[in-house]
Amino acid sequence: MDVKFNNRDPVYVQVIRHFKEQIATGLFEPGQEIPSRRELANQLKINPNTAQRAYKEMEEQGLIFTEGNLPSRITKDEQVLKMVREELILEAVDAFVHSVRSINLPLHEALTLVQNTYERE
Amino acid sequence: MDVKFNNRDPVYVQVIRHFKEQIATGLFEPGQEIPSRRELANQLKINPNTAQRAYKEMEEQGLIFTEGNLPSRITKDEQVLKMVREELILEAVDAFVHSVRSINLPLHEALTLVQNTYERE
DNA sequence: TATACTGTATTAAGTGATTAATACAATAAA
DNA sequence: TTTATTGTATTAATCACTTAATACAGTATA
């Protein structure tokens, strides 16, 4: 568990983003335990309340669930896990296409640039 | 002059972004007059100080210049104008490639999705 | 000349989001 | 039965951004 933070977005948003990327990549098993709020806060050097904020939102979104005072877990609903990946993809593509349009960058140039950038390193 | 604001980013940042997109698209002549702070504020329904904040940063970045108390103008340095476009392109491509990598999306899938999304509408 | 524009600067207040401090109840384990 | 760890809730403090209220000097225009 390691996240590099930027200063633009709220920390709790970046934490959620990180979990979603892990889910989208299939690094979490359905039902898998995740670190406690305090443990995550320690690992990432953030405030426990910030971790709680992130987990609370993830729970509201159905990404994780909590039974009693047991450690929270990744949802067992594989449909939800699948949707996370598709949402991230959709967001990335939409944002890129929007940018490309806003500056009148021809499609083939955009595609070429993506390809070249992707391939180097 | 028409900007649709989101609630995530500071207004003055979005104003700068808008001007950069105009420049990148070639909608501004080098040396062209731009609206006064007060006029822009009226058009966009924002506070004059917010407009001033945006212009001040653009001036610091060399995008616009001001002589005496005359209306500010787009820089005459065409090299700078060219760089604006390239920076926006670079940012967009980098962000997209980064997203694609973070979720292990195969390159050809990414390219196909961009193409399809671009073509519809 | 007077009026209405420019740009610029200072200071203060307000607002919402974010983070922080702290406490409490429940459960598991030593 | 303690002790430590869990999740949760409440309240306070902090911070960036925005807005606001003015003021001043220079310039164009009526």
Side-chain angles (χ1 to χ4, degrees):
Chain A
M1 190 72 59
D2 175 51
V3 184
K4 43 181 174 179
F5 293 112
N6 66 59
N7 298 328
R8 285 193 60 78
D9 305 307
V11 173
Y12 77 95
V13 169
Q14 298 182 60
V15 171
I16 295 173
R17 169 81 194 186
H18 182 257
F19 271 86
K20 284 187 175 180
E21 287 177 356
Q22 303 269 307
I23 290 174
T25 318
L27 298 181
F28 279 130
E29 296 288 316
Q32 178 177 339
E33 271 193 15
I34 59 178
S36 76
R37 278 77 169 158
R38 292 171 177 85
E39 187 181 341
L40 182 74
N42 263 330
Q43 288 179 13
L44 304 185
K45 313 297 181 194
I46 62 178
N47 191 282
N49 299 290
T50 305
Q52 160 66 2
R53 173 83 184 264
Y55 276 20
K56 189 179 182 184
E57 288 221 6
M58 288 195 285
E59 184 139 17
E60 287 169 355
Q61 293 177 27
L63 303 182
I64 65 176
F65 68 98
T66 312
E67 291 173 336
N69 290 358
L70 300 177
S72 299
R73 297 170 174 274
I74 299 292
T75 180
K76 294 174 181 170
D77 186 334
E78 307 207 16
Q79 197 62 25
V80 169
L81 299 179
K82 191 177 174 185
M83 284 304 297
V84 169
R85 178 174 175 84
E86 303 195 349
E87 275 179 28
L88 291 189
I89 293 174
L90 195 65
E91 278 176 24
V93 172
D94 279 353
F96 181 61
V97 169
H98 184 271
S99 293
V100 166
R101 288 190 177 285
S102 73
I103 53 182
N104 275 351
L105 181 64
L107 176 59
H108 72 276
E109 280 190 38
L111 295 179
T112 301
L113 285 169
V114 169
Q115 190 156 356
N116 291 343
T117 304
Y118 186 94
E119 283 166 355
R120 77 169 51 99
E121 99 185 70
Chain B
M1 189 73 59
D2 175 52
V3 184
K4 41 182 177 181
F5 293 113
N6 65 59
N7 297 329
R8 284 194 63 78
D9 306 307
V11 173
Y12 76 95
V13 169
Q14 297 182 60
V15 171
I16 295 173
R17 169 81 193 187
H18 181 257
F19 270 87
K20 285 188 175 179
E21 287 177 356
Q22 304 270 308
I23 290 174
T25 318
L27 298 182
F28 279 130
E29 297 288 318
Q32 177 176 340
E33 273 193 13
I34 58 177
S36 76
R37 279 77 167 157
R38 294 172 176 89
E39 187 181 339
L40 183 73
N42 263 330
Q43 287 178 14
L44 304 185
K45 313 295 179 193
I46 62 177
N47 191 281
N49 299 292
T50 305
Q52 160 66 3
R53 172 85 182 264
Y55 276 20
K56 189 178 182 183
E57 288 220 7
M58 287 196 284
E59 184 138 17
E60 286 169 355
Q61 293 178 26
L63 303 182
I64 66 176
F65 69 99
T66 311
E67 291 173 335
N69 290 357
L70 300 177
S72 299
R73 298 170 174 274
I74 300 293
T75 180
K76 294 176 182 171
D77 187 335
E78 307 207 16
Q79 198 62 26
V80 169
L81 299 179
K82 192 176 173 185
M83 285 303 298
V84 169
R85 178 175 175 84
E86 303 194 350
E87 276 178 29
L88 291 189
I89 292 174
L90 195 66
E91 279 177 23
V93 172
D94 279 354
F96 182 61
V97 169
H98 184 271
S99 292
V100 164
R101 288 190 179 286
S102 73
I103 53 182
N104 274 352
L105 181 63
L107 175 60
H108 72 277
E109 280 191 39
L111 296 179
T112 301
L113 286 170
V114 169
Q115 190 156 355
N116 291 343
T117 305
Y118 186 93
E119 284 166 355
R120 77 168 52 98
E121 99 185 72

